[in-house]
Amino acid sequence: MAGPGRETRGIVDAPDLFTRVRFRLRDPAPELRPHVEHYWLIDWDLPEPYTSQVVPHPCVHLVFQRTETGSESERAGSAEVYGVVEGLFTQRLEGRGRVCGVKFRAGAFRPFAPHRPVSAWTGRRVPAEEAMVAPESGPLPSARDVLDPSGEDARVAALDAFLLPLLPPPDPQAELARALAERARTDRSLLRVDALARAGDMSVRTLQRLFSGYVGVGPKWVILRHRIHEALQRAETDTEPDWARLAGDLGYSDQAHLVRDFTATVGVPPTAFASR
């Protein structure tokens, strides 16, 4: 099948994934868009297991998942918060199943879970009720409320219904963290932490504390991860990537430094990855 018609940067070998699963990206309700980048929906029915890999973004995800051919608890479904994953994220899919995910914008999750810094969830998967504050009207809805509807629009509406009662009051620190994380993603001239700190009119130490509390990883990690995403995209789309030139464009001192970072993150050197 065709891809979802929107950038899916970070998915390793996205075209292969799209031939095996139904993958869609959908927008949340307008009130949620300052906090949520998009919803992602996956359904699969596989004759044999398949392993997907993603080079994660500096984002927290809320993930509703059901494996219909798994254990009783897996068939019932789960709702979990996935903190930022610092390495390569690998997920084995088998049988038949469904995922409905919420990708929070970098820096935007903390107001939904204000009692702990976002770094407390980094590298962890925890039940949603452990991390998120329930609405005043009662407990969080169950995973089944999101996963049961057969129609895609109904599942998107269920995600909206889950999140809208949780909308937090304005948090200036979250707004600042979100703006600086987005700046790190989009401004190609910001290649160093001190430059990002100057863009936020703060010291490097203050920037590091802000990112620990609201993004979950440090600003250096965020800048480096966006470099790897760019390199990964070039490896997948360019016929013959010019790695030396790309290393310079991304702010690396030399090509060898790019190769080391890429290999540490993806597991293979960029030339080997491109040849696949």
Side-chain angles (χ1 to χ4, degrees):
M1 62 171 289
R6 198 184 305 192
E7 183 185 15
T8 51
R9 182 173 297 201
I11 298 176
V12 177
D13 202 353
D16 186 50
L17 175 67
F18 298 155
T19 66
R20 299 171 187 269
V21 307
R22 294 188 63 230
F23 182 103
R24 294 86 75 207
L25 300 180
R26 295 288 300 269
D27 289 323
E31 303 94 316
L32 293 166
R33 291 174 193 173
H35 309 278
V36 174
E37 186 170 327
H38 56 242
Y39 298 147
W40 48 279
L41 310 178
I42 302 178
D43 295 272
W44 68 90
D45 190 351
L46 297 169
E48 58 185 37
Y50 175 75
T51 299
S52 66
Q53 294 182 316
V54 177
V55 179
H57 295 251
C59 300
V60 175
H61 293 254
L62 172 62
V63 180
F64 302 86
Q65 179 165 293
R66 167 186 294 157
T67 303
E68 298 179 13
T69 52
S71 65
E72 182 177 349
S73 62
E74 289 172 330
R75 292 194 303 271
S78 61
E80 295 181 302
V81 168
Y82 286 40
V84 178
V85 177
E86 295 180 281
L88 187 67
F89 178 79
T90 300
Q91 180 68 48
R92 179 182 169 91
L93 306 175
E94 56 185 324
R96 186 170 62 252
R98 169 175 295 171
V99 174
C100 299
V102 178
K103 182 182 180 182
F104 288 88
R105 296 187 186 278
F109 178 72
R110 175 72 181 274
F112 291 83
H115 302 308
R116 300 187 69 180
V118 177
S119 58
W121 317 118
T122 297
R124 299 177 60 200
R125 293 169 50 172
V126 300
E129 61 269 19
E130 178 180 332
M132 303 181 73
V133 175
E136 295 181 359
S137 56
L140 295 172
S142 71
R144 295 190 61 175
D145 293 326
V146 174
L147 294 165
D148 278 357
S150 58
E152 180 179 325
D153 289 346
R155 273 175 266 160
V156 170
L159 288 168
D160 285 342
F162 187 101
L163 290 172
L164 284 170
L166 306 180
L167 270 176
D171 182 337
Q173 288 292 98
E175 294 170 8
L176 177 60
R178 187 172 69 236
L180 289 174
E182 179 66 9
R183 184 82 178 268
R185 184 182 73 85
T186 59
D187 190 338
R188 296 284 298 276
S189 70
L190 293 176
L191 301 175
R192 295 173 54 88
V193 173
D194 54 357
L196 185 59
R198 287 194 297 273
D201 194 25
M202 63 182 67
S203 69
V204 168
R205 181 60 182 153
T206 299
L207 178 67
Q208 291 169 335
R209 288 196 297 266
L210 177 70
F211 270 51
S212 177
Y214 284 84
V215 180
V217 287
K220 181 178 179 179
W221 187 96
V222 173
I223 292 170
L224 289 175
R225 179 48 50 94
H226 292 313
R227 291 180 181 179
I228 296 300
H229 281 154
E230 179 68 20
L232 184 65
Q233 184 180 46
R234 296 283 188 91
E236 291 189 321
T237 58
D238 290 3
T239 304
E240 295 182 357
D242 185 338
W243 299 112
R245 180 176 179 180
L246 178 60
D249 290 345
L250 296 178
Y252 284 100
S253 56
D254 53 40
Q255 181 178 338
H257 194 180
L258 167 61
V259 170
R260 286 196 297 271
D261 278 358
F262 190 102
T263 305
T265 304
V266 182
V268 295
T271 52
F273 180 84
S275 69
R276 299 193 313 183

